[in-house]
Amino acid sequence: MNIPNKIIRTICLFTEGPEKAHRERLTSLADNFTRNGFTVQTLRLCAPDPDAVLRFDAENDGSLFLSMGRLPFEKAGALMPKFLAAQNVAFNVDLAGEPLELEHTTLLTEIIRQNSAKTFSFTYTFNNVPSSPFFPSATYARSGVAIGLQPTNLAEGCRTIEAWLERMRAVWFEIEGLMAGEPDFLGIDTSIAPLYEDDGSLLHIVRRTTAPLDQAATSDVFLRIARFIKGEGLKRTGLCGLMFPCLEDFEVARAYERGEFSIERNVFLSLHSGLGIDAYPIGTDEDANRVLDILRLVQGLSNKYSKPLSIRFISDGNARIGEKASFNNPYLKDVTIRKL
């Protein structure tokens, strides 16, 4: 089957400590996929040694995405100056087991105040699953290679959700075949990671094949997609869920501006099919107590249902509620900020 638009969002190498040879390994893997008709967007590396990652970043040209993985809350605070000065480093803080107080919002508010572009590289996580190649949720558990796709683009020309999913399945098994000779292959994170608009947008695909968001959100379409990507017969790793990144999926960003993608709807969709509040805009004047409310809610839902969830708020460091943000990031759509 000749399938167009085979896009790998990331090839991620998990290792105890980054080395120059790891870049060569990632480049070699990417070259092999490119020869077989894939587009590879990013190469990434995640290691559990923050100091080693930061040293490696200082010698990196910025093209390799790096992650320190999961950090304890106190450690994250101590590393904040180095994180804010780094070129291309991400991390997450898992708060599933901590009594949440206002101090836990300070990680976010300090990033917004000092270097707002870094909000793109930080997320709160709850019951996070390791070995996902998607940043900033990626967390080291064992060494190896994980792959994540941008599978939305495979829907071009498909008239039904089912036709799109069958294309996705074919590409998964093609990737498995190409990685068969790699003994440290951890698997594919089958998460639906959308980007931009048209067939890059999950919301666009659902609207074109099924129904507008207000109807789709109370149908079983997202449940069907989520069930499919967790099916048997494939070497999977990581989160394997639906992503609703508000600012990265431009159709979702437009729905947000129309008031159709409130924080409540985001939480509802995440609870039954998704992975959390992702790339969601926040105003610089948002009440920290409101952020704490949302942290506590998502923590409680994650713990109650034993489900990995995350919260990644995005700010441009200037835009207040009611003002137009300017993120200066090609992956993010500028929107007028709404109150949480």
Coordinates of all heavy atoms in Angstrom, one line a residue, residues 259-302:
G259 N -14.9 30.2 22.2 CA -15.5 29.8 23.4 C -16.0 28.3 23.4 O -16.7 27.9 24.3
E260 N -15.6 27.5 22.4 CA -16.0 26.2 22.2 C -15.1 25.1 22.8 O -15.3 23.9 22.7 CB -16.3 25.9 20.7 CG -17.4 26.7 20.1 CD -17.5 26.5 18.6 OE1 -16.8 25.7 18.1 OE2 -18.3 27.3 18.0
F261 N -13.9 25.6 23.3 CA -13.0 24.7 23.9 C -12.5 25.2 25.2 O -11.4 25.6 25.5 CB -11.8 24.5 23.0 CG -10.9 23.3 23.3 CD1 -11.4 22.0 23.1 CD2 -9.7 23.4 23.8 CE1 -10.7 20.9 23.5 CE2 -8.9 22.3 24.2 CZ -9.4 21.0 24.0
S262 N -13.5 25.3 26.1 CA -13.2 25.8 27.5 C -12.4 24.8 28.2 O -12.2 23.6 27.8 CB -14.6 25.9 28.2 OG -15.2 24.7 28.4
I263 N -11.9 25.2 29.4 CA -11.1 24.3 30.2 C -11.9 23.1 30.6 O -11.5 21.9 30.8 CB -10.5 25.0 31.4 CG1 -9.2 24.3 31.9 CG2 -11.5 25.2 32.5 CD1 -8.0 24.5 31.2
E264 N -13.2 23.3 30.8 CA -14.1 22.2 31.2 C -14.2 21.1 30.1 O -14.2 19.9 30.4 CB -15.5 22.7 31.6 CG -15.6 23.6 32.8 CD -15.4 25.1 32.5 OE1 -14.8 25.4 31.4 OE2 -15.9 25.9 33.3
R265 N -14.4 21.6 28.9 CA -14.5 20.7 27.8 C -13.2 19.9 27.6 O -13.2 18.7 27.3 CB -14.9 21.4 26.5 CG -15.0 20.5 25.3 CD -15.8 21.1 24.1 NE -17.2 21.0 24.3 CZ -18.1 21.5 23.5 NH1 -17.8 22.3 22.5 NH2 -19.4 21.3 23.8
N266 N -12.1 20.6 27.7 CA -10.8 20.0 27.6 C -10.6 18.9 28.6 O -10.2 17.8 28.3 CB -9.7 21.1 27.8 CG -8.3 20.6 27.4 OD1 -7.4 21.4 27.2 ND2 -8.1 19.3 27.3
V267 N -11.0 19.2 29.9 CA -10.9 18.2 30.9 C -11.8 17.0 30.6 O -11.5 15.8 30.8 CB -11.2 18.8 32.3 CG1 -11.4 17.7 33.4 CG2 -10.1 19.8 32.7
F268 N -13.1 17.3 30.2 CA -14.0 16.2 29.9 C -13.5 15.3 28.8 O -13.4 14.1 28.9 CB -15.3 16.8 29.4 CG -16.3 15.8 28.8 CD1 -16.9 14.9 29.7 CD2 -16.6 15.8 27.5 CE1 -17.8 14.0 29.1 CE2 -17.4 14.9 26.9 CZ -18.1 14.0 27.8
L269 N -13.0 15.8 27.7 CA -12.4 15.0 26.6 C -11.2 14.3 27.1 O -11.0 13.1 26.7 CB -12.1 15.9 25.4 CG -13.3 16.5 24.6 CD1 -12.8 17.4 23.6 CD2 -14.1 15.3 24.0
S270 N -10.4 14.9 27.9 CA -9.1 14.3 28.4 C -9.5 13.1 29.3 O -8.8 12.1 29.3 CB -8.3 15.3 29.1 OG -7.8 16.3 28.3
L271 N -10.5 13.2 30.1 CA -10.8 12.2 31.0 C -11.3 10.9 30.3 O -10.9 9.8 30.7 CB -11.9 12.7 32.0 CG -12.3 11.7 33.2 CD1 -11.0 11.5 34.0 CD2 -13.4 12.3 34.0
H272 N -12.1 11.0 29.3 CA -12.6 9.8 28.6 C -11.7 9.4 27.4 O -11.8 8.2 27.1 CB -14.0 9.9 28.3 CG -14.4 10.7 27.1 ND1 -14.0 10.4 25.8 CD2 -15.1 11.8 26.9 CE1 -14.5 11.3 24.9 NE2 -15.2 12.2 25.6
S273 N -10.9 10.3 26.9 CA -10.1 9.8 25.7 C -8.7 10.4 25.6 O -7.9 9.9 24.8 CB -10.9 10.3 24.4 OG -12.1 9.7 24.3
G274 N -8.5 11.5 26.3 CA -7.2 12.2 26.1 C -6.2 12.1 27.2 O -6.3 11.2 28.1
L275 N -5.3 13.0 27.2 CA -4.1 13.0 28.0 C -3.9 14.2 28.9 O -3.0 14.3 29.7 CB -2.8 12.8 27.2 CG -2.8 11.5 26.4 CD1 -1.6 11.5 25.4 CD2 -2.7 10.3 27.3
G276 N -4.9 15.1 28.8 CA -4.8 16.3 29.7 C -5.0 17.6 29.1 O -5.5 17.7 27.9
I277 N -4.6 18.7 29.8 CA -4.7 20.0 29.3 C -3.3 20.4 28.7 O -2.3 20.5 29.4 CB -5.0 21.0 30.4 CG1 -6.3 20.6 31.1 CG2 -5.0 22.4 30.0 CD1 -6.6 21.3 32.4
D278 N -3.3 20.5 27.4 CA -2.0 20.6 26.7 C -2.0 21.9 25.8 O -2.9 22.2 25.0 CB -1.8 19.4 25.8 CG -0.4 19.3 25.2 OD1 0.5 20.0 25.6 OD2 -0.2 18.5 24.3
A279 N -0.9 22.6 25.9 CA -0.6 23.8 25.2 C -1.8 24.8 25.3 O -2.3 25.3 24.3 CB -0.3 23.5 23.7
Y280 N -2.3 24.9 26.5 CA -3.5 25.7 26.7 C -3.1 27.1 27.1 O -2.3 27.3 28.0 CB -4.4 25.1 27.8 CG -5.8 25.5 27.8 CD1 -6.8 24.7 27.1 CD2 -6.3 26.7 28.4 CE1 -8.1 25.1 27.0 CE2 -7.6 27.0 28.4 CZ -8.5 26.3 27.7 OH -9.8 26.6 27.6
P281 N -3.6 28.2 26.5 CA -3.2 29.5 26.8 C -3.6 30.0 28.1 O -4.7 29.7 28.6 CB -3.9 30.4 25.7 CG -5.0 29.5 25.2 CD -4.6 28.1 25.4
I282 N -2.7 30.8 28.7 CA -3.0 31.4 30.0 C -2.6 32.9 30.0 O -1.5 33.2 29.4 CB -2.3 30.7 31.2 CG1 -2.7 31.2 32.5 CG2 -0.8 30.7 31.0 CD1 -2.2 30.3 33.7
G283 N -3.4 33.8 30.6 CA -3.0 35.2 30.7 C -2.0 35.5 31.8 O -2.0 34.7 32.8
T284 N -1.2 36.5 31.6 CA -0.3 36.8 32.7 C -0.9 37.3 34.0 O -0.3 37.3 35.0 CB 0.7 37.9 32.2 OG1 0.0 39.1 31.7 CG2 1.6 37.4 31.0
D285 N -2.2 37.7 33.9 CA -2.9 38.2 35.1 C -3.9 37.1 35.6 O -4.7 37.5 36.4 CB -3.7 39.5 34.7 CG -4.6 39.3 33.6 OD1 -4.5 38.4 32.8 OD2 -5.6 40.2 33.5
E286 N -3.8 35.9 35.2 CA -4.6 34.8 35.7 C -4.3 34.6 37.2 O -3.2 34.6 37.6 CB -4.4 33.5 34.9 CG -5.4 32.4 35.3 CD -6.8 32.7 35.0 OE1 -7.2 32.9 33.8 OE2 -7.6 32.9 36.0
D287 N -5.4 34.4 37.9 CA -5.3 34.2 39.4 C -4.6 32.9 39.7 O -5.0 31.8 39.2 CB -6.7 34.2 40.0 CG -6.6 34.1 41.5 OD1 -5.6 33.9 42.1 OD2 -7.7 34.2 42.1
A288 N -3.5 32.9 40.4 CA -2.8 31.7 40.8 C -3.7 30.7 41.5 O -3.5 29.4 41.4 CB -1.5 32.0 41.6
N289 N -4.6 31.2 42.3 CA -5.6 30.3 43.0 C -6.4 29.5 42.0 O -6.8 28.3 42.3 CB -6.4 31.0 43.9 CG -5.7 31.5 45.2 OD1 -5.3 30.7 46.0 ND2 -5.4 32.8 45.2
R290 N -6.7 30.1 40.8 CA -7.5 29.4 39.8 C -6.6 28.3 39.2 O -7.1 27.2 38.9 CB -7.9 30.4 38.7 CG -8.7 29.8 37.6 CD -10.0 29.1 38.1 NE -10.7 28.5 36.9 CZ -11.4 27.4 37.0 NH1 -11.4 26.7 38.1 NH2 -12.0 26.9 36.0
V291 N -5.3 28.5 39.0 CA -4.4 27.5 38.5 C -4.3 26.4 39.5 O -4.4 25.2 39.1 CB -3.0 28.1 38.3 CG1 -2.0 27.0 37.9 CG2 -3.1 29.2 37.2
L292 N -4.3 26.7 40.8 CA -4.2 25.7 41.8 C -5.5 24.8 41.8 O -5.5 23.6 42.0 CB -4.1 26.3 43.2 CG -4.1 25.4 44.4 CD1 -2.9 24.3 44.3 CD2 -3.9 26.2 45.7
D293 N -6.7 25.5 41.6 CA -7.9 24.7 41.5 C -7.8 23.7 40.4 O -8.3 22.5 40.6 CB -9.1 25.7 41.1 CG -9.5 26.5 42.3 OD1 -9.2 26.2 43.5 OD2 -10.2 27.6 42.1
I294 N -7.3 24.0 39.3 CA -7.2 23.1 38.1 C -6.2 22.0 38.4 O -6.4 20.9 38.0 CB -6.9 23.9 36.8 CG1 -8.1 24.9 36.5 CG2 -6.6 23.0 35.6 CD1 -7.8 25.9 35.5
L295 N -5.1 22.4 39.0 CA -4.1 21.4 39.4 C -4.7 20.3 40.3 O -4.6 19.1 40.1 CB -2.9 22.0 40.1 CG -1.9 22.8 39.2 CD1 -0.9 23.5 40.1 CD2 -1.2 21.8 38.2
R296 N -5.5 20.8 41.3 CA -6.1 19.8 42.2 C -7.2 19.0 41.5 O -7.3 17.8 41.8 CB -6.7 20.6 43.4 CG -5.7 21.2 44.4 CD -6.3 22.1 45.4 NE -5.4 22.4 46.5 CZ -5.6 23.3 47.4 NH1 -6.7 24.1 47.4 NH2 -4.7 23.5 48.3
L297 N -7.9 19.6 40.6 CA -9.0 18.8 39.9 C -8.3 17.7 39.1 O -8.7 16.6 39.1 CB -9.8 19.7 39.0 CG -10.7 19.0 38.0 CD1 -11.8 18.3 38.8 CD2 -11.3 20.0 37.1
V298 N -7.3 18.1 38.3 CA -6.7 17.1 37.4 C -6.0 16.0 38.2 O -6.0 14.8 37.9 CB -5.8 17.8 36.4 CG1 -5.0 16.8 35.5 CG2 -6.6 18.7 35.5
Q299 N -5.3 16.4 39.3 CA -4.7 15.4 40.2 C -5.8 14.5 40.7 O -5.6 13.2 40.7 CB -4.0 16.1 41.3 CG -3.3 15.2 42.3 CD -3.0 15.8 43.6 OE1 -4.0 16.3 44.3 NE2 -1.8 15.8 44.0
G300 N -6.9 15.0 41.1 CA -7.9 14.1 41.7 C -8.5 13.2 40.7 O -8.7 12.0 41.0
L301 N -8.7 13.7 39.5 CA -9.3 12.8 38.4 C -8.3 11.7 38.0 O -8.6 10.6 37.8 CB -9.7 13.6 37.2 CG -10.9 14.6 37.4 CD1 -11.1 15.5 36.2 CD2 -12.2 13.8 37.7
S302 N -7.0 12.1 37.9 CA -6.0 11.2 37.5 C -5.8 10.1 38.6 O -5.7 8.9 38.2 CB -4.6 11.9 37.4 OG -3.6 11.0 37.1

